Amino acid sequence: MCYIAFMEEFIPEQTDQTKKEKALHPELQEIVDEFDFSRLKDILAEHARGAGISEDDIYLVPPENIHGQTRSIGQYNPDIERPSIGLSYDDIQGRANEFRVDPKLLGMRTLIHEEIHAATDQARNREEQQDIKQVGYHRLGTHLMRLWNEGVTERLAREVLVTYGKSIGTISSVDLDNFIQTLNKRRESSKIYNNEVDLVDAFIIYLAQQTGVPEETVWRAIIADQFRGARLFTMDFVAETSDMFPPNFMDDFTNAQNDVTVRRLKKELRQPIEETNRKPRFRQTAFGRSLLRSFEDSLSAYLQMMP
């Protein structure tokens, strides 16, 4: 069996995947047919370079492996023999109507989101790690970092959609900006991972305040870590930074399984930072200096890849 990830639960799937696949709705098929996958790979390669990963090591699901489905808006299947992406026309259309956004842009956003899952699949992108069943921050088969991984993936997908849309020249900047702004306004919605994106935003701001590292640098380090397999949130990180966060925060953070927990974590991060800020002591530890260097290296790599 293989397991379908990025749903509310893992669902065992038959090995013969093609028997259970549906044809794409014609409107979604048109999006896939017109989509420039090579351009998407170039954009993702720019982000992956900060993690020391070359473009040749980035995998995207090919158009022929993208099919229709009914049970969720989008889904990446990490089957080692035939990875695939499923897209639900009814869910995309329904949420586009609910949020009053262009269904074509929402379809493109969903495709990009799932392709980022494929691009950060640790077993697929580096041969020596094929025994690691992990996509981005999420260890498959567990709840560890699942919601955090979705938040990071969705935040990056929106950023990539804007870059992609402006680069192909067929979508106006105004339409792209309005689309992203509309999605971002639904902060508490779990239907498009806004609740999880909001947690990522709160974490970036909090960590930047605690370490003195610019927010953009923290974000680039988080992206790099997603591509190289979640090295940031190691046991060392949890142990060494525990006094920077509210009590039991990191345990709840890594094991969050529902929106209730995510909302509580966001609230804790947004509490005013105590007057006795621990930033100076953190920066003076060997681990603190190492973490800050990691952020600085990620920013340096990011700046180097910019035109």
Side-chain angles (χ1 to χ4, degrees), residues 39-158:
R39 180 65 191 123
L40 175 62
K41 188 171 184 177
D42 290 342
I43 295 170
L44 293 179
E46 293 175 355
H47 292 290
R49 199 170 298 133
I53 297 172
S54 71
E55 182 173 353
D56 293 339
D57 290 327
I58 293 178
Y59 176 82
L60 294 182
V61 173
E64 60 269 22
N65 287 8
I66 300 173
H67 56 83
Q69 65 177 30
T70 57
R71 55 176 170 248
S72 65
I73 188 170
Q75 184 178 330
Y76 167 58
N77 170 19
D79 182 81
I80 198 66
E81 294 182 1
R82 189 178 184 274
S84 63
I85 287 174
L87 301 174
S88 169
Y89 173 78
D90 290 342
D91 277 0
I92 290 172
Q93 193 68 44
R95 293 181 196 184
N97 291 337
E98 178 183 351
F99 301 143
R100 297 182 180 180
V101 296
D102 183 347
K104 183 173 183 178
L105 285 178
L106 188 59
M108 292 172 62
R109 160 265 168 201
T110 305
L111 175 58
I112 290 171
H113 180 110
E114 302 308 328
E115 286 287 18
I116 291 174
H117 283 322
T120 57
D121 187 335
Q122 301 303 303
R124 190 164 303 284
N125 294 339
R126 283 178 291 292
E127 292 182 2
E128 70 273 14
Q129 294 185 346
Q130 286 187 359
D131 59 332
I132 298 178
K133 306 303 181 185
Q134 180 165 322
V135 174
Y137 287 93
H138 182 206
R139 178 76 64 167
L140 300 187
T142 75
H143 286 287
L144 290 176
M145 308 300 289
R146 182 179 71 86
L147 295 181
W148 169 260
N149 187 62
E150 292 294 357
V152 173
T153 299
E154 180 60 24
R155 195 180 198 267
L156 179 58
R158 295 176 190 184

Side-chain angles (χ1 to χ4, degrees), residues 46 301-307:
E46 293 175 355
Y302 174 68
L303 292 175
Q304 289 175 10
M305 69 190 182
M306 291 294 99

Side-chain angles (χ1 to χ4, degrees), residues 37-303:
F37 288 87
S38 63
R39 180 65 191 123
L40 175 62
K41 188 171 184 177
D42 290 342
I43 295 170
L44 293 179
E46 293 175 355
H47 292 290
R49 199 170 298 133
I53 297 172
S54 71
E55 182 173 353
D56 293 339
D57 290 327
I58 293 178
Y59 176 82
L60 294 182
V61 173
E64 60 269 22
N65 287 8
I66 300 173
H67 56 83
Q69 65 177 30
T70 57
R71 55 176 170 248
S72 65
I73 188 170
Q75 184 178 330
Y76 167 58
N77 170 19
D79 182 81
I80 198 66
E81 294 182 1
R82 189 178 184 274
S84 63
I85 287 174
L87 301 174
S88 169
Y89 173 78
D90 290 342
D91 277 0
I92 290 172
Q93 193 68 44
R95 293 181 196 184
N97 291 337
E98 178 183 351
F99 301 143
R100 297 182 180 180
V101 296
D102 183 347
K104 183 173 183 178
L105 285 178
L106 188 59
M108 292 172 62
R109 160 265 168 201
T110 305
L111 175 58
I112 290 171
H113 180 110
E114 302 308 328
E115 286 287 18
I116 291 174
H117 283 322
T120 57
D121 187 335
Q122 301 303 303
R124 190 164 303 284
N125 294 339
R126 283 178 291 292
E127 292 182 2
E128 70 273 14
Q129 294 185 346
Q130 286 187 359
D131 59 332
I132 298 178
K133 306 303 181 185
Q134 180 165 322
V135 174
Y137 287 93
H138 182 206
R139 178 76 64 167
L140 300 187
T142 75
H143 286 287
L144 290 176
M145 308 300 289
R146 182 179 71 86
L147 295 181
W148 169 260
N149 187 62
E150 292 294 357
V152 173
T153 299
E154 180 60 24
R155 195 180 198 267
L156 179 58
R158 295 176 190 184
E159 186 176 305
V160 169
L161 172 63
V162 172
T163 303
Y164 172 84
K166 291 179 179 179
S167 71
I168 61 174
T170 58
I171 308 172
S172 76
S173 296
V174 172
D175 288 343
L176 285 167
D177 292 341
N178 287 340
F179 174 77
I180 298 300
Q181 289 174 14
T182 301
L183 294 190
N184 289 343
K185 287 178 182 177
R186 304 294 293 268
R187 295 173 68 90
E188 294 298 320
S189 175
S190 60
K191 293 182 179 180
I192 48 175
Y193 294 120
N194 265 12
N195 201 28
E196 290 76 12
V197 170
D198 209 26
L199 175 61
V200 176
D201 290 343
F203 186 90
I204 290 170
I205 294 169
Y206 187 93
L207 196 56
Q209 290 175 331
Q210 286 284 14
T211 62
V213 176
E215 291 176 17
E216 183 66 10
T217 307
V218 174
W219 171 230
R220 295 302 152 191
I222 289 172
I223 294 174
D225 208 44
Q226 187 184 32
F227 276 94
R228 65 184 167 219
R231 296 179 189 175
L232 178 60
F233 295 101
T234 61
M235 293 300 291
D236 284 343
F237 178 89
V238 173
E240 295 285 350
T241 62
S242 60
D243 66 344
M244 291 172 54
F245 295 95
N248 303 316
F249 177 87
M250 290 307 297
D251 284 341
D252 293 342
F253 174 77
T254 55
N255 290 285
Q257 299 181 25
N258 54 57
D259 283 342
V260 173
T261 303
V262 170
R263 291 190 181 97
R264 177 171 57 78
L265 292 172
K266 291 191 302 183
K267 184 177 180 180
E268 290 179 6
L269 287 176
R270 288 185 169 131
Q271 294 294 328
I273 295 177
E274 297 176 5
E275 297 275 337
T276 55
N277 194 308
R278 299 181 177 88
K279 178 174 61 178
R281 188 170 73 80
F282 173 76
R283 293 176 71 91
Q284 290 165 10
T285 66
F287 182 83
R289 290 193 297 271
S290 175
L291 179 62
L292 298 181
R293 281 198 301 272
S294 174
F295 285 150
E296 290 163 359
D297 289 346
S298 294
L299 179 61
S300 175
Y302 174 68
L303 292 175

